[in-house]
Amino acid sequence: MTAKILYIEDNPLNMRLVRKLVKSFGYEMIEAMDGILGLEMVKSERPDLLLVDVNLPGMDGLEVATEVKKIPELASIPIIALTANAMHGDRERCLAAGCDAYIAKPISRQELKNMLNRFLTDDAQIATS
Ligand code: MN
């Protein structure tokens, strides 16, 4: 089974970049453009991993992470936060909100690949880079 990743991101350029990378790693990606829809999709689609942009309109990525971790059936889904503003304390805020890991933008292909493989080892279908 190909691992299914849900990416919640409001910026179409980031969405396109990550879609391209994730596909090149051999994973399936589904998408949501805001936090509220994203949270609904976590419940309905049960992704193997969640990538969340921190800065989202309405419900932000950290709120989504906190909500997901409150739901026992979904709490084991790994959550990786992506943030543009690598401010002091950002990583701690992400982890405190329930995220399992954190990636600062701009996204590095190798860092994203390593991170996804780390959390998806069992299902990893790693394409040649
Ligand atoms: Mn954003």
Side-chain angles (χ1 to χ4, degrees):
M1 270 289 279
T2 305
K4 181 167 69 180
I5 294 165
L6 171 62
Y7 184 28
I8 309 173
E9 170 63 79
D10 62 321
N11 180 314
L13 295 177
N14 287 331
M15 187 68 94
R16 192 169 68 183
L17 169 68
V18 171
R19 182 191 302 133
K20 194 175 134 200
L21 293 175
V22 165
K23 283 185 178 171
S24 79
F25 305 151
Y27 299 117
E28 181 189 343
M29 193 174 99
I30 54 175
E31 305 172 8
M33 298 282 286
D34 68 64
I36 292 164
L37 177 60
L39 182 59
E40 288 309 310
M41 283 182 74
V42 179
K43 295 173 184 170
S44 61
E45 299 285 335
R46 303 287 180 110
D48 298 295
L49 184 143
L50 186 54
L51 279 176
V52 285
D53 175 34
V54 170
N55 297 306
L56 292 169
M59 180 183 234
D60 74 28
L62 299 185
E63 291 175 285
V64 172
T66 300
E67 289 305 311
V68 168
K69 294 298 181 182
K70 278 184 197 165
I71 302 167
E73 312 89 84
L74 306 178
S76 64
I77 299 173
I79 302 177
I80 302 172
L82 295 162
T83 182
N85 34 316
M87 294 185 304
H88 183 69
D90 230 24
R91 183 174 173 280
E92 288 69 25
R93 281 198 315 129
C94 290
L95 299 180
C99 298
D100 296 278
Y102 163 93
I103 295 177
K105 294 175 185 173
I107 297 158
S108 137
R109 175 189 164 87
Q110 195 58 48
E111 186 183 12
L112 180 64
K113 186 176 182 178
N114 292 346
M115 194 70 93
L116 295 179
N117 289 349
R118 181 177 136 203
F119 286 104
L120 295 169
T121 323
D122 293 339
D123 312 85
Q125 296 187 354
I126 301 143
T128 52
S129 45

